[in-house]
Amino acid sequence: MEPYAEVVASYTTFAEEAADSPCFVEWSRGVADDPEAQDLIRTLPPVKQQPNLVFAAARWHGAPAPGPYAGLRATLLERWDEVRATALARSTQTNEVGRLATLLPAFALLGERLHLIEVGASAGLCLHPDAYRHEWVQYDDPAVTHHVGEGPVLTCRVSGPVPFPERMPEVVSRAGVDLNPLDVTDADEMAWLKNLVWPEQDERRTRLATAIEVARQDPPRLTRGDLFDELPGLLGAAPDDAVTVVFHSAVIAYLEEPDRRRFAQLMAGLVAEGRCHWVSNEAPNVLPEVTATGPAPTKPGFVLGIDGDSVALTHGHGATLRWHHTHP
Ligand SMILES: C[S@@+](CC[C@H](N)C(=O)[O-])C[C@H]1O[C@@H](n2cnc3c(N)ncnc32)[C@H](O)[C@@H]1O
């Protein structure tokens, strides 16, 4: 059996990216060396061949994780029809509230009374920044801390002139849009969301379980649809007595290249018209027009932007915030 070059390439790359999960590193290398597994995976549409999705689907059908490649292999070979159906039916929609500790200083700069609109909201867990105690710990001196809010704790290590909020902004209303909004009251959908957390990341799993409980107390209003189609309606319904902030995190990478540019232009136009503020938190190559306004990132992670200006570099799950922008 011949190796399938595209699967080999994407799983080899993922083995380098998945350093946070020794299990996924082993699994990726295993698939990259296993023409029999590749022959199954190649039957999926290209967008569904991604390691994160195939691994999640295999875990859903019993592949023990963390565990050796042999466990994944057995699940792929013995239960392929079920794994394939799950990969086709579901997608990777990881919803990470840890990011809120990096987003909140940006939100708070924009106003004291906010209407939040999240595009690509997944289950909408990030629409509740005000339900957490945010703790920021100085990089060079962990004894120096700042905090705001009450509730489950989100901790973030920081550097630079972070504009720490003195008080929690009031979120007067919240709304979101997603191609496939997940329902926090639906046990099956929340089990899938938990299944997307990488095997060794117990802290993230615990945080997610807490975030689901938080959101269940006030389930967010989520619209099903494409962000380009639904954003105008959501903006039209925004209250007059609050500052409207459109935000997104780990979403625009899902758009094709021309649509990424279209989205950046749309948001720049809305900001210029005074229709809303724009908080973006995306990988550096996704919105290069934002990235170019700040220092070049030297580590993996996201660029945090306010109204199109790079203000900070953030860890992908919110563990760190390196602020570089000086505000008047
Ligand atoms: C990785 S998740 C991020 C979720 C959340 N923003 C967070 O930071 O935790 C990306 C989400 O974007 C959604 N998405 C991707 N393309 C979209 C589009 N064109 N319109 C609306 N939602 C989209 C996906 O369905 C998915 O739920």
Side-chain angles (χ1 to χ4, degrees):
M1 195 173 289
E2 288 295 308
Y4 183 57
E6 282 171 34
V7 175
V8 172
S10 75
Y11 282 70
T12 303
T13 302
F14 191 70
E16 288 156 20
E17 294 169 353
D20 285 353
S21 170
C23 170
F24 276 9
V25 170
E26 182 182 337
W27 284 13
S28 314
R29 288 185 182 143
V31 170
D33 284 341
D34 186 345
E36 226 177 325
Q38 294 158 24
D39 207 43
L40 297 172
I41 293 168
R42 68 187 291 190
T43 66
L44 290 166
V47 71
K48 296 284 185 179
Q49 293 176 7
Q50 48 164 306
N52 249 332
L53 178 60
V54 171
F55 293 170
R59 290 171 74 193
W60 193 245
H61 292 288
Y69 176 64
L72 173 70
R73 185 172 204 277
T75 306
L76 292 180
L77 266 56
E78 291 161 21
R79 303 188 65 179
W80 177 246
D81 287 350
E82 294 157 276
V83 173
R84 184 172 194 280
T86 295
L88 290 174
R90 301 186 189 249
S91 48
T92 52
Q93 294 186 256
T94 313
N95 203 180
E96 178 51 75
V97 290
R99 292 173 183 141
L100 284 174
T102 64
L103 298 177
L104 184 67
F107 293 163
L109 269 182
L110 296 171
E112 293 183 354
R113 284 170 55 79
L114 302 177
H115 170 57
L116 294 179
I117 299 176
E118 184 178 14
V119 295
S122 183
L125 303 180
C126 291
L127 282 163
H128 290 277
D130 47 340
Y132 296 88
R133 175 184 167 97
H134 301 254
E135 290 188 354
W136 297 284
V137 180
Q138 206 72 33
Y139 249 110
D140 46 11
D141 186 355
V144 180
T145 62
H146 298 262
H147 65 86
V148 73
E150 297 301 327
V153 177
L154 301 176
T155 308
C156 176
R157 294 179 67 200
V158 300
S159 64
V162 183
F164 298 110
E166 284 177 16
R167 64 187 77 84
M168 181 65 76
E170 184 186 355
V171 182
V172 300
S173 54
R174 39 199 124 219
V177 55
D178 201 283
L179 287 175
N180 181 40
L182 297 177
D183 178 354
V184 291
T185 66
D186 184 313
D188 176 72
E189 292 190 354
M190 291 306 99
W192 173 252
L193 200 51
K194 289 176 186 166
N195 181 63
L196 290 172
V197 178
W198 290 5
E200 295 88 346
Q201 298 183 336
D202 293 332
E203 196 181 321
R204 287 187 68 204
R205 224 179 320 280
T206 305
R207 190 161 63 221
L208 176 59
T210 303
I212 291 168
E213 290 312 314
V214 166
R216 276 183 178 154
Q217 289 164 32
D218 179 17
R221 185 166 53 89
L222 300 180
T223 303
R224 179 180 297 274
D226 186 272
L227 57 88
F228 285 108
D229 299 333
E230 302 303 331
L231 186 54
L234 292 176
L235 281 170
D240 294 332
D241 59 347
V243 173
T244 298
V245 178
V246 175
F247 76 100
H248 50 88
S249 184
V251 172
I252 307 307
Y254 287 70
L255 305 185
E256 300 292 342
E257 186 59 37
D259 281 339
R260 294 180 187 181
R261 304 285 70 74
R262 180 158 75 103
F263 180 74
Q265 284 161 15
L266 170 71
M267 291 311 305
L270 290 169
V271 169
E273 289 166 19
R275 300 277 311 279
C276 63
H277 286 287
W278 172 30
V279 172
S280 54
N281 192 42
E282 299 288 341
N285 64 326
V286 171
L287 292 175
E289 45 282 87
V290 178
T291 303
T293 65
T298 54
K299 297 181 175 172
F302 293 158
V303 174
L304 179 66
I306 299 181
D307 293 343
D309 286 331
S310 164
V311 297
L313 304 178
T314 67
H315 177 272
H317 299 143
T320 63
L321 171 65
R322 298 166 187 272
W323 202 278
H324 52 75
H325 195 266
T326 309
H327 290 269

